[in-house]
């Protein structure tokens, strides 16, 4: 496998791993071009990777608290690969959205001083003049020490699908870039257009306020080992524990991951029918729906009194859990666990799908200011 690495002025790195699915240029005649031949050569595949790197790095750079806002070392156009006119407008809108998010973050007391983005091209498929590129982005952002008690970094892995179309002159244009992950947006991913809320009744959980409270709340001592929960989550946020099954391709792994962390901190199995939300268990062959389902987990947790709702997300401490309903349709979409809390009272969450380490509640709220939030005191 051939690997090419590029570095930029903002510290981003691209590793484009070109696998055997990239077909050689010799399979096509020069007269046919990529649209007819259904092939791309290695140089073109590398250009796909560099363009993916350039777009994602520019998005990340829009969030940085620095004068260096655009990556100079990786232009958004090369000799044979560039953005389409529509995608150029899409990226302009995306950068505007991210700059607004940066301003919201600043108002919430958060900023980033540098970033390291790595983009690995996992697969290239070409058919009838269209190329689909699967790529994995790994990004680390360094927190600016505004209060002085922030952790050093936050990080995430995100997966993307890029669509390219061949032009009549044998070149390629990027026509689309889509995240293939479930869960909250990566901090450098522009927000999607809001979805109209359905009329489904809200669940029993009580939504939490998202404004910074005038007085922080300290988490009292409990019956569980909260440090063990945090240690587990931070150990397996990126490298999954092989002792458990993954559910990334079956609706998302977020609640499964949080259940594992809770079990590591002392939550005991509660036997019962797998489909009954009043049970909570995992074994070698199956698991209860409350172990893996966000709504079912909430119902079990409140019914069993293993947790209570908090009035404000900023009241959460290490080991507490936050859920989100992205479009306020009454169905919870994502589950996260607090693994760090700053001395000034900001919770930082770790979760799967997108795999993320110590992301502040402020940055999540900045990305989803209109979502419904549920905070659970475990």
């Amino acid at each position: 496998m051939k690997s090419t690495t590029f570095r930029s002025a903002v510290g981003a790195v691209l590793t484009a791993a070109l696998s055997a699915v990239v077909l050689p240029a010799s399979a096509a005649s020069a007269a046919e071009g990529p649209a007819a031949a259904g092939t791309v050569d290695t140089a073109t595949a590398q250009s796909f990777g560099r363009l993916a790197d350039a777009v994602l790095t520019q998005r990340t750079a829009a969030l940085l608290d620095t004068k260096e806002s655009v990556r100079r070392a990786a232009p958004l156009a090369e000799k044979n690969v560039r953005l389409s006119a529509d995608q150029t407008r899409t990226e302009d809108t995306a950068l505007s959205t991210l700059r607004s998010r940066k301003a919201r973050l600043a108002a919430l007391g958060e900023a980033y001083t540098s970033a390291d983005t790595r983009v690995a091209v996992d697969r290239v498929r070409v058919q009838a003049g269209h190329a689909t590129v699967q790529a994995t982005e790994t990004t680390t952002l360094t927190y600016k020490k505004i209060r002085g008690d922030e952790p050093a970094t936050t990080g995430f892995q995100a997966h993307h699908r890029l669509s390219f179309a061949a032009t009549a002159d044998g070149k390629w244009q990027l026509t689309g870039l889509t995240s293939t992950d479930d869960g909250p947006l990566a901090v450098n991913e522009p927000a999607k257009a809001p979805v109209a809320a359905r009329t489904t009744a809200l669940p029993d959980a009580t939504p939490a306020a998202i404004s910074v409270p005038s007085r922080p709340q300290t988490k009292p001592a409990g019956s569980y080992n909260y440090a063990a929960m945090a240690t587990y989550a931070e150990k397996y946020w990126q490298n999954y524990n092989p002792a458990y099954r993954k559910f990334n391709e079956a609706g998302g792994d977020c609640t499964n991951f949080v259940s594992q962390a809770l079990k590591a901190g002392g939550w005991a199995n509660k036997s019962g029918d797998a489909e009954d939300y009043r049970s909570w268990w995992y074994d070698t062959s199956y698991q209860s729906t409350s172990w893996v389902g966000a709504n079912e987990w909430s119902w079990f947790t409140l019914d069993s009194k293993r947790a209570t709702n908090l009035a404000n997300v900023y009241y959460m401490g290490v080991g507490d859990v936050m859920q989100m309903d992205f479009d306020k349709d009454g169905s919870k979409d994502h589950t996260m666990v607090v693994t760090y809390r700053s001395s000034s009272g900001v919770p930082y969450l770790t979760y799967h799908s997108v795999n993320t380490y110590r992301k502040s509640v402020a940055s999540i709220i900045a990305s989803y200011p209109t979502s419904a939030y549920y905070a659970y005191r475990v």
Side-chain angles (χ1 to χ4, degrees), residues 307-338:
T308 57
N309 279 137
L310 292 171
N312 192 301
V313 295
Y314 282 93
Y315 291 162
M316 293 188 298
V318 171
D320 288 339
V321 173
M322 188 173 82
Q323 292 189 310
M324 294 176 62
D325 176 1
F326 297 139
D327 52 12
K328 290 186 177 179
D329 68 351
S331 179
K332 298 173 188 66
D333 301 300
H334 191 59
T335 310
M336 299 160 275
V337 61
V338 177

Side-chain angles (χ1 to χ4, degrees), residues 163-179:
S163 301
F164 291 86
T167 59
D169 58 359
K171 298 180 181 179
W172 293 90
Q173 291 187 339
L174 176 66
T175 59
L177 193 163
T178 306
S179 171

Side-chain angles (χ1 to χ4, degrees), residues 9-10 57-58 60-72 99 102 111-115 144:
V10 297
T57 298
Q58 183 168 265
T60 302
L63 296 169
L64 298 183
D65 184 27
T66 174
K67 294 180 180 179
E68 184 62 49
S69 60
V70 179
R71 179 180 180 180
R72 297 175 181 174
R99 283 190 286 269
K102 174 184 173 182
Y112 313 114
T113 58
S114 62
K144 183 177 181 179

Side-chain angles (χ1 to χ4, degrees), residues 203-216:
D204 293 335
T206 304
I210 58 175
S211 57
V212 180
S214 58
R215 183 176 301 175

Side-chain angles (χ1 to χ4, degrees), residues 132-251:
T132 301
V133 177
Q134 303 289 344
T136 299
E137 172 196 1
T138 303
T139 289
T140 301
L141 295 112
T142 301
Y143 284 111
K144 183 177 181 179
K145 295 298 183 181
I146 297 174
R147 296 176 302 274
D149 58 359
E150 295 89 348
T153 61
T154 179
F156 65 86
Q157 280 188 328
H159 302 89
H160 305 279
R161 180 173 58 249
L162 294 93
S163 301
F164 291 86
T167 59
D169 58 359
K171 298 180 181 179
W172 293 90
Q173 291 187 339
L174 176 66
T175 59
L177 193 163
T178 306
S179 171
T180 60
D181 294 309
D182 294 320
L185 298 172
V187 70
N188 69 345
E189 182 183 347
K192 301 175 179 65
V195 179
R198 298 197 295 270
T199 58
T200 306
L202 287 172
D204 293 335
T206 304
I210 58 175
S211 57
V212 180
S214 58
R215 183 176 301 175
Q217 184 184 89
T218 302
K219 182 174 182 178
S223 58
Y224 302 113
N225 188 338
Y226 304 119
M229 295 175 182
T231 298
Y232 181 93
E234 294 195 346
K235 179 178 180 180
Y236 293 110
W237 76 271
Q238 184 175 15
N239 299 312
Y240 287 30
N241 185 348
Y244 289 96
R245 294 180 288 277
K246 301 177 183 178
F247 294 87
N248 303 77
E249 305 302 323

